[in-house]
Amino acid sequence: RFPFGATQRPPPNPMLAACGGGLSKLLSPRHRKSSTESAPAPMPDPPVASVHGKPPDGLECLVTYEDIDDTNYVEYQTEPSGKWHPALLCEDVIRRFLDTQYEEYNEHLVKSDCAATTRRLLNDGPPIWIHDKSGKAMPVPEGDTHISKLWFSSDGQERSAKVKGALEGKEREELEVQNRAIFGAGLPDADESEAAAPAAAPVSEPEDAGGDRQAETSPSEAAAGSDVGRA
């Protein structure tokens, strides 16, 4: 018997104790950590294949005429197709183009004494991207507009094809307006330049000793005369 007012606690239920112990084990930080560690690791991304290649056999720089190999080989990318092409120029020449083409444009515009050349320079505008004037060493395929990137085999790096000092956007537009005002003022139109060209002097026909004009002889008449002479 128990004292007055005392209550007897029921004996613990072995099934509930087992369930409670299992639940505590599942919620323990140790168990959560082990579950995380057992999760499979994500698969790494597949390697990206290189879009660049080796210089073709027998490739030669069209400026210096030196052989092109892995040490001076260059590829260029044209837009908007994004395709890469082998350049027929060595790295040294292309670096020189990057450094000088913008300044050369300004110099040619200032020193030009030919209306056609000045008109062409003004229509082209100051260069932004490297370009091949001959169209043979770094041709831009039909449908593309310009060269956007260069890849040097010597260091395996891609770089922008913008020439040194190039202006873009509003700055370039302002320079074009300024150039047209300075170098295009008084520049004759193409039709006027052709009209102002001196006409070719007429060719006088030969005359004989007596001052009479020699009779014109057609090829058929000449052939007939030769037959008569032979007869």
Side-chain angles (χ1 to χ4, degrees), residues 7-13:
T7 58
Q8 183 180 5
R9 293 182 180 180
N13 191 326

Side-chain angles (χ1 to χ4, degrees), residues 204-215:
S204 58
E205 298 181 3
E207 296 182 353
D208 57 13
D212 298 331
R213 181 179 298 173
Q214 293 181 350

Side-chain angles (χ1 to χ4, degrees), residues 19-68:
C19 292
L23 183 61
S24 300
K25 185 178 180 181
L26 289 173
L27 296 178
S28 64
R30 187 179 205 179
H31 183 75
R32 289 197 299 269
K33 182 177 180 181
S34 62
S35 300
T36 305
E37 291 176 351
S38 62
M43 295 295 293
D45 295 333
V48 180
S50 174
V51 296
H52 306 292
K54 298 286 186 180
D57 294 338
L59 196 64
E60 185 180 72
C61 178
L62 296 184
V63 174
T64 64
Y65 301 105
E66 63 179 300
D67 294 335
I68 294 179

Side-chain angles (χ1 to χ4, degrees), residues 1-221:
R1 292 183 181 182
F2 293 91
F4 180 78
T7 58
Q8 183 180 5
R9 293 182 180 180
N13 191 326
M15 295 295 295
L16 292 176
C19 292
L23 183 61
S24 300
K25 185 178 180 181
L26 289 173
L27 296 178
S28 64
R30 187 179 205 179
H31 183 75
R32 289 197 299 269
K33 182 177 180 181
S34 62
S35 300
T36 305
E37 291 176 351
S38 62
M43 295 295 293
D45 295 333
V48 180
S50 174
V51 296
H52 306 292
K54 298 286 186 180
D57 294 338
L59 196 64
E60 185 180 72
C61 178
L62 296 184
V63 174
T64 64
Y65 301 105
E66 63 179 300
D67 294 335
I68 294 179
D69 54 24
D70 290 332
T71 64
N72 58 1
Y73 175 58
V74 178
E75 292 181 358
Y76 63 98
Q77 185 183 44
T78 54
E79 297 295 343
S81 70
K83 294 182 178 179
W84 289 90
H85 317 272
L88 301 184
L89 298 171
C90 62
E91 180 180 328
D92 289 343
V93 173
I94 290 181
R95 286 185 180 274
R96 187 165 74 246
F97 283 0
L98 288 172
D99 291 339
T100 61
Q101 282 192 343
Y102 182 79
E103 292 300 330
E104 285 181 353
Y105 171 87
N106 294 328
E107 183 179 351
H108 292 164
L109 187 60
V110 171
K111 295 183 177 181
S112 173
D113 57 358
C114 173
T117 300
T118 302
R119 189 180 301 108
R120 176 180 58 80
L121 291 171
L122 292 175
N123 290 336
D124 292 343
I128 299 176
W129 311 98
I130 191 174
H131 61 280
D132 167 34
K133 299 177 182 178
S134 69
K136 299 178 180 179
M138 300 175 70
V140 176
E142 184 177 357
D144 283 348
T145 57
H146 64 280
I147 300 171
S148 61
K149 287 184 179 180
L150 300 167
W151 177 77
F152 291 168
S153 177
S154 60
D155 59 11
Q157 299 296 318
E158 296 179 3
R159 48 184 42 82
S160 173
K162 289 182 181 179
V163 296
K164 182 179 178 180
L167 301 178
E168 296 184 79
K170 186 177 180 180
E171 291 182 329
R172 185 174 185 269
E173 293 176 0
E174 292 176 350
L175 180 60
E176 285 187 285
V177 173
Q178 177 182 332
N179 287 341
R180 290 184 181 277
I182 296 175
F183 303 104
L187 192 66
D189 296 335
D191 296 338
E192 295 179 2
S193 299
E194 293 177 359
V203 178
S204 58
E205 298 181 3
E207 296 182 353
D208 57 13
D212 298 331
R213 181 179 298 173
Q214 293 181 350
E216 296 180 357
T217 305
S218 65
S220 58
E221 292 173 345

